Amino acid sequence: MLNLERLRTLDALARHGSVSGAAAGLHVTTSAVSQQMTKLEREVGQQLLAKNGRGIRLTDAGRLLADHAARILSQVELAQSDLEAQRGLAVGELRISAFPTAARGLFPTALAALRERHPGLRVTSRELEPGDGAAGVVRGDLDLAVVLDWYNKPLAVPEGLARASLLDDPADVVLPAGHRLADRDEVDLEELAGDEWVSWPEGEYCHDWLMFTLRAKGVEPRVSHCAEEHHTQLALVDAGLGVCVAPRLGRGVVPDGVRVVPVRQGVRRHVYAVWRADADRRPSIRAAVEALRAAGATVG
């Protein structure tokens, strides 16, 4: 009889493509992964893995069994969801992620509410960029991820995921107090064509959005400084080193030496939660979405 945990290990190997990746996704050691696969090969009487340079690859038998494992594990998740739904209780473990400003702006309130209302639910959280969070849900490393779309640049969400809107997050331009536009009620992004910019690190979803948006308006941005944390971005603007776009979610206290000016076009991020569709009936998922929405309702 096939062992479920060994099938889960094979599924992780197929999804991650390496022993180290599978170990990280399963939160076990690489030796534990190797041991499980050795036992599974003994059970099925066939070689499932083969060396591929310094790594490994699945054999034909390995790929065949991995396809079955994915379907079996999906059915197990459906069964667990149905059992949770029948009990009507949010219990067990819930693994969630959010991009940094959502983790800062939503998680403290939402997770505290979940702990108070659902004492049988154990939540673990981590910060991940939107694409990484969605991929983690698809792989089964996460149960739910908080992700985002910009108003003019949607995020590609993989098939098989359900989603729920949490909030619309307005974004403003942040200028040094002495900037020529600092006293304006609104600005157009085109008016900042000659300015230096403070942005997110290159390759991050929000950095790509900023480049896409400014270039669509005929502006080739001069990005002089990159910082992942919004507090660092605001500090650089406060020092007169550039301008930036700052969403309101998770923004925190704004330095005295900067001015926050709305964008005339109404720049917004759409923040939502995604989870595997086969886990749709889990009360813990629905409880988390409710708590995240309530936390998002307080964002101004």
Side-chain angles (χ1 to χ4, degrees):
M1 182 176 294
L2 295 172
N3 180 280
L4 188 61
E5 286 309 307
R6 287 165 201 155
L7 290 179
R8 196 180 303 279
T9 301
L10 177 62
D11 178 64
L13 274 168
R15 289 185 284 105
H16 290 278
S18 69
V19 172
S20 59
L26 295 169
H27 306 290
V28 298
T29 64
T30 54
S31 62
V33 170
S34 298
Q35 289 170 15
Q36 289 282 56
M37 290 306 303
T38 298
K39 293 177 180 177
L40 183 59
E41 287 182 327
R42 190 180 304 127
E43 286 177 350
V44 300
Q46 295 190 63
Q47 184 179 356
L48 302 176
L49 301 178
K51 289 186 177 180
N52 184 27
R54 295 184 177 180
I56 56 96
R57 63 174 177 81
L58 295 180
T59 63
D60 290 345
R63 285 194 296 271
L64 176 64
L65 186 56
D67 289 342
H68 283 290
R71 291 192 290 271
I72 290 168
L73 293 171
S74 179
Q75 285 300 122
V76 170
E77 186 157 8
L78 280 170
Q80 291 173 334
S81 297
D82 285 345
L83 286 171
E84 279 190 36
Q86 188 180 52
R87 291 175 65 186
L89 298 175
V91 295
E93 182 181 15
L94 187 71
R95 303 158 299 167
I96 67 177
S97 76
F99 56 94
T101 51
R104 182 166 60 246
L106 298 179
F107 276 4
T109 300
L111 301 191
L114 282 173
R115 173 174 288 186
E116 180 180 353
R117 296 171 191 164
H118 306 283
L121 181 64
R122 178 176 176 268
V123 182
T124 58
S125 69
R126 58 191 298 197
E127 287 186 2
L128 286 175
E129 284 295 300
D132 294 334
V137 174
V138 171
R139 291 195 304 265
D141 302 338
L142 296 166
D143 299 302
L144 180 147
V146 179
V147 300
L148 67 92
D149 284 331
W150 282 95
Y151 73 103
N152 59 343
K153 189 175 174 60
L155 178 72
V157 176
E159 291 185 8
L161 298 187
R163 60 192 289 173
S165 176
L166 300 178
L167 73 149
D168 281 337
D169 179 29
D172 305 301
V173 169
V174 180
L175 311 170
H179 193 278
R180 67 188 187 282
L181 303 177
D183 294 330
R184 291 272 294 274
D185 293 331
E186 293 179 323
V187 297
D188 291 314
L189 291 177
E190 299 94 315
E191 295 180 86
L192 301 167
D195 285 88
E196 293 182 87
W197 281 87
V198 177
S199 179
W200 297 266
E202 188 172 349
E204 288 194 4
Y205 183 69
C206 288
H207 174 88
D208 294 343
W209 165 80
L210 182 62
M211 300 300 102
F212 170 82
T213 301
L214 292 175
R215 287 168 180 161
K217 296 178 178 295
V219 176
E220 184 56 39
R222 291 191 297 138
V223 177
S224 297
H225 306 283
C226 291
E228 188 165 352
E229 288 291 332
H230 281 189
H231 292 166
T232 306
Q233 294 180 11
L234 295 179
L236 291 168
V237 175
D238 188 25
L241 298 173
V243 302
C244 75
V245 171
R248 296 177 190 175
L249 176 62
R251 182 187 294 172
V253 178
V254 176
D256 292 336
V258 306
R259 297 294 180 267
V260 177
V261 183
V263 180
R264 183 171 290 112
Q265 298 94 333
V267 174
R268 288 178 176 269
R269 304 189 300 182
H270 178 57
V271 181
Y272 53 98
V274 296
W275 62 91
R276 288 171 64 104
D278 51 17
D280 195 53
R281 295 185 63 196
R282 288 181 60 185
S284 56
I285 295 287
R286 303 204 171 277
V289 170
E290 180 183 344
L292 289 164
R293 277 179 171 160
T298 65
V299 178

